[in-house]
Amino acid sequence: MNMVQALNSELDLRMGADDSIILLGEDIGIDGGVFRVTDGLQAKYGQERVMDTPLEELGIVGMAIGMATTGLRPVPEIQFQDFIYTAFDQIVNQMAKMRYRTAGRITVPMVLRTPYGGGIRGGLYHSQSGETYFAHTAGLTVVTPSNPYDAKGLLSSSMDLNDPVVFLEPKRLYRAQKADVPEEDYKVPLRKANLVRSGDDLTIITYGSMVPTVIQTVEKNSLDADVLDLRTLVPMDIDSIVASVKKTGRVMIVHEAPRTLGMGSEISAAISERVIEYLYAPIVRVTGPDTPFPYRLEEYYLPNERRILAAARKILDFR
Amino acid sequence: MTENVNEQVDKEKYVRAYGAMVLSRTFDRKIITAQRQGRVGFYTPTMGQEATQVGASMALDKDDLIFEYYRDVPMMIHRGVPMEKLLDQIMGNSEDYAKGRQMPSHFIARDNNFMSIQSPVASNLPLATGAAYALKYRKKNSIVLTTFGDGSTSTPDFHAAMNMAAVYELPLVFLCENNQWAISLPIEKQTKAEIWKKAEGYGMEGVKVDGNDLLATYKATAEAVRKARDGKGPTLIEAVSFRMGPHSTSDDPNKYRSNTVQDGSDQDPIILTEKALKHMGILNDSMIEKIKSEAERIVTEKFEEREKIPPPEPSTMFDDVYEEMSWMVKEERGEIL
C-alpha cells in the first residue's frame, strides 16, 4: 500500500467497527478527497458519516469539536494545511483547551487530518509546513508519519486517544512509496520516536517528508548516523533523543518548515539543557528558509542531499 | 379539572421563572459590589437580559444542551445550577468545577448541560452545530440552544454556524441576545441589517422578539424548539433587550453612552415581568416581597460561605492538559512547585 491507501484502510476499518466515527471535510465524500484518502468511504458508510461539507474550514473544525464534546469521534479533514488558519481560534482556544477548562468534564477525542509540506509544485498556499503553530499549543498532540506503515498505525493510535490530535500528512509522500502494510488494525505508539537507522558518529533528528531524504543521503554517502524519526512532534520523545545524543555527541536536525522557531529550535534547546556536556560540536539545523514557499524554485527551498551532506561534514569535521 | 391543573402548573412555572430573574439580579448586584470591595476579580453583569434568558430557558427540556456565552447567569439559575457553583466559579476556588482556571463569568455546568465557554465571542456557535449534528445522528429527541450577543453576529463563526445549521437542517436554536451594545459599540454601528433578517440569507427562519417580555421570549423560543425537535431545522431568534450595566466590571460605560435603563425603572425587564404576572393574577406584592428577600438571603449567605473556600492546590494547574500528563508538564511542575 502507499500512504493514501494505508490511511484509507485504517479509516475504513475503524468506521466499520465504530459508528461514532464521522468524517467531514471538503470534497471528501463523492470525490473521495482531493488526494483520495477517503475514497470509497461515502459509498460504503453513507453521507451522514462521510460529510461533504460547505467550504468553511472554521465551520468544519468547530463542528467536529462540537461532535466530539457530545459522544462522537470525528475525523475532520482540512484539504490543505495552508487553509487551516481561519479555524485557528477553534483549534487553539476550543479544541486544545476543552479538557483543561472543564477539568476533564468535557473532552475532545478527534483527529484533525491535513496534508502539509511542499514538493508538489503547490506554491505559497499548497506547500506550507505549519507544525510549529500547533506544537506551541498546550493540549494538542501533533503527529506526522513518514511512511505508509507508520501512517496507518499512527492514525490508529491517534483515533484511540481521548484528546485532540493534529495529524499532519506529508503530501509529497502520499504516493511516493509502497510498503507492506497489514490489512488489519495495528498500532504505532504515540509519543515514541522511531530509530530508523543506527550509527555511531552522528544523530539526525527528523520527521515527515524529510525522513526518506535523510535516509537516502545517509545510505548513499555511508554516513554512520542514528536517524530518529520523531513520529509525534508534541509531546516529542525526549528520552530517545537524549539516548542517541549521548551515544554520538553530534546532532543535526532536518525539517522542511522554516528555521526560525521551527521544531529544530525546541529540540536543540532541549538537548542543550540536558546533555550539553556530551556534545562535540554545535547542533546544526537543516531546514526550509525563512521565506514563503516558492512555486518554481521549490527544489531550492526543500532540504536536500547536498545541504544535509554539507551539514554532516561541518558537524563531523568540527574540532 | 385538567384545565385547572394546567393552570396551576403554569402558575408555578411563571413564579419559578420570576424567582430566577430576581435571584440573578440579586446575584449581579452582590457580585458588582463585591468586585468593588476587592472580593471578586471580575464580572460581566447580566442585568437587563433576565427576561430573554429565563424566557428561553422555560422552553427547554432537561436533556437539551446549551452552548452558552458569558452573560447567561439567569438561564443557569433557572436551569437549576446551584448558586454555590456560580460563586465557586466567580471566586475560582477549589470547589469550582473547572478548578479556578477560568476568569469569572466563564461558567461550565455539565450536569445542567451548559457546555462551557471561551472568551472570543461566537466561538461556541460552530460547536453547537456539531452537538446538534450528533443529536440528530443519534436520533435523540433533544435539541441545542446557543446564545450570543449582537456583536457576535459580525464574526465568521456566526456565519459558519448559521450556514452549517441550515445546510444540515440541525435541531438548533440560535438565540441572539441583542442588548444593543458590544462593549462600546452600539448596534447601529455593528450591523446595517436587522439581525433576525440575516437568517433568510442562510435559508433559515428568523424571528424578532421583545427580549424584555418574558412570555413573548418563552413563546418564540418554544416555537423554535418545537420546530427543531420535529426535525424542521434551526431558527434564529433575535431577542432585543438592553444591557443595563457595564460590559464588565472593568468597563466604564459613561465614556460612550448616557441614556441607560436604570435598575428598577419602568423599562427594567424585572419590573415589566412583575407587572405582567400581577396582571395575570400569578404574582402579588407579598409574593414579590418574599421572593426578593429570599433571594437576598440566599445570595448573602452563600457568598459568605463560598468565600471561605480556599483556592485550588497549586499542583492542579498541571492537570487536564492531556489525559496522560506529558513529560514537559511533569518537568515544569517539578520546577515550579
Side-chain angles (χ1 to χ4, degrees), chain A residues 202-225:
Chain A
L202 173 67
T203 297
I204 306 180
I205 301 161
T206 186
Y207 55 86
S209 69
M210 280 296 122
V211 175
T213 309
V214 167
I215 293 291
Q216 281 156 22
T217 304
V218 165
E219 286 176 353
K220 190 172 157 196
N221 298 281
S222 305
L223 295 174
D224 193 14

Side-chain angles (χ1 to χ4, degrees), chain A residues 124-137:
Chain A
L124 272 72
Y125 304 111
H126 295 76
S127 306
Q128 296 176 27
S129 292
E131 58 267 31
T132 286
Y133 301 126
F134 311 108
H136 196 59
T137 300

